[in-house]
Amino acid sequence: MSTLDTALKQASEDLRWVGDAIARVGPAGTLSKESNEFFQMSHQLAVQLEHAKALLPVREIALNSLLTFPSQDSRKSPGLFLFNGTDVTFKVGRYLLFQNYSVTSWALYDTISKVSGILCGNDELSKNPAKPAKLYEDFLQGKNNVGARVRDHLKGAYGWPIAVSYKIRNWLAHDGHYNDGQYQQGSDLFKYDSPGNAGEFEMSDVAWDIVLRNCKGDPSQTRLTPFPDVKANLATGLQACHAEADEAVAFLLSWSAGIARLQATILFRRDAGGPTRFSP
């Protein structure tokens, strides 16, 4: 079981514990309306995390499909490749598979960040359902959104791989094969459009330069030494970046859900008549 898988499971259990505990206290509790409303969200948040956890095997399949795609020659159409039962060019299939893998990863991170923002963000972030918290924009780039040095931990240890992955996700989700030049010089994302060489997943020089110039981060913000050569192989490079992002959001989620449970443990004792019933 991966670190993120374990964190999602534990956070769901913590939040369900809080939801059950507030239900046992019931209307006789002496906490404020705002406090009760916060704790009463716990079961709903646990469900969201369980849905997020279901994306882990989806992402694993997307990654495996991407890594094996260069060997999926079409038996019916020479020069084409098999993608979900359809013959496609290498360029088309590669793009679709990278998009599947990248977007699925960030759907996972967005859900975890949304839940974590509700649990540990400041009032502006946690109480605004119209603008859910985001990993890159709020927890890394935003200031004063969360305390306890959490931003320092996230940014200093994981900021660079998260930034690289985020910029690649945006390219795949918004720009397609080609960046249209909004960064002064457009480029194809990949150096080659056909397999049969060591650079099947190699980014073009200009594309990598665009990513570097638009990452709001510092290459020193990583625990990886050396940092993977993302440009030479975007597939394995993203895999390494996502492993780091997984560890980052696992930390964020474990901390925020654990704090919510600790808050409930301390605050509910008075209404429960003592510490026994609500021990951590």
Side-chain angles (χ1 to χ4, degrees):
M1 186 176 291
S2 70
T3 299
L4 183 53
D5 200 333
T6 301
L8 283 161
K9 180 176 183 295
Q10 183 60 56
S12 296
E13 291 175 358
D14 286 342
L15 291 171
R16 288 197 175 277
W17 182 95
V18 173
D20 291 343
I22 191 68
R24 291 198 299 272
V25 169
T30 57
L31 289 174
S32 69
K33 174 177 176 289
E34 290 78 12
S35 292
N36 276 290
E37 287 175 348
F38 170 72
F39 288 124
Q40 286 166 357
M41 297 173 64
S42 297
H43 273 149
Q44 176 189 353
L45 297 178
V47 170
Q48 292 181 38
L49 293 179
E50 286 152 12
H51 289 319
K53 189 172 183 291
L55 288 175
L56 288 172
V58 176
R59 183 178 65 168
E60 188 65 26
I61 291 170
L63 175 61
N64 289 337
S65 298
L66 172 60
L67 294 175
T68 59
F69 180 65
S71 65
Q72 304 300 312
D73 302 75
S74 171
R75 295 182 178 180
K76 297 185 299 182
S77 305
L80 297 182
F81 292 79
L82 195 62
F83 173 80
N84 289 345
T86 302
D87 290 341
V88 298
T89 64
F90 183 78
K91 182 175 181 177
V92 168
R94 177 182 59 188
Y95 172 75
L96 290 171
L97 288 165
F98 267 103
Q99 189 179 60
N100 289 347
Y101 174 53
S102 181
V103 171
T104 301
S105 297
W106 278 91
L108 177 64
Y109 300 150
D110 285 346
T111 301
I112 293 172
S113 298
K114 174 185 175 182
V115 171
S116 298
I118 291 170
L119 295 174
C120 72
N122 63 16
D123 279 4
E124 184 177 355
L125 190 66
S126 66
K127 296 180 180 180
N128 184 3
K131 188 183 180 301
K134 300 290 187 181
L135 176 61
Y136 182 77
E137 297 98 318
D138 297 310
F139 286 112
L140 289 184
Q141 301 303 320
K143 294 182 179 179
N144 304 318
N145 285 335
V146 62
R149 300 288 180 145
V150 170
R151 181 173 178 266
D152 288 345
H153 300 323
L154 289 173
K155 195 175 181 71
Y158 308 103
W160 187 244
I162 291 173
V164 170
S165 171
Y166 179 75
K167 291 305 178 183
I168 294 295
R169 190 287 301 262
N170 283 354
W171 187 313
L172 292 165
H174 303 303
D175 294 316
H177 297 292
Y178 186 81
N179 184 284
D180 64 6
Q182 61 178 308
Y183 303 120
Q184 298 179 350
Q185 186 177 14
S187 173
D188 283 306
L189 177 58
F190 292 98
K191 189 171 184 177
Y192 305 104
D193 284 339
S194 60
N197 54 65
E200 294 161 339
F201 297 142
E202 182 178 353
M203 296 177 64
S204 69
D205 294 342
V206 176
W208 181 238
D209 182 62
I210 289 171
V211 170
L212 290 179
R213 285 191 285 112
N214 290 277
C215 278
K216 294 180 181 178
D218 187 313
S220 68
Q221 295 169 345
T222 181
R223 305 177 80 173
L224 293 175
T225 306
F227 194 77
D229 191 345
V230 179
K231 177 183 178 297
N233 189 321
L234 185 58
T236 57
L238 281 182
Q239 185 179 9
C241 288
H242 290 158
E244 295 299 289
D246 283 8
E247 189 172 294
V249 295
F251 156 70
L252 179 63
L253 180 62
S254 297
W255 179 77
S256 58
I259 287 296
R261 178 165 177 164
L262 181 58
Q263 289 175 346
T265 300
I266 296 168
L267 293 171
F268 293 172
R269 284 175 179 169
R270 177 172 172 177
D271 295 322
T276 304
R277 198 172 179 184
F278 293 116
S279 57

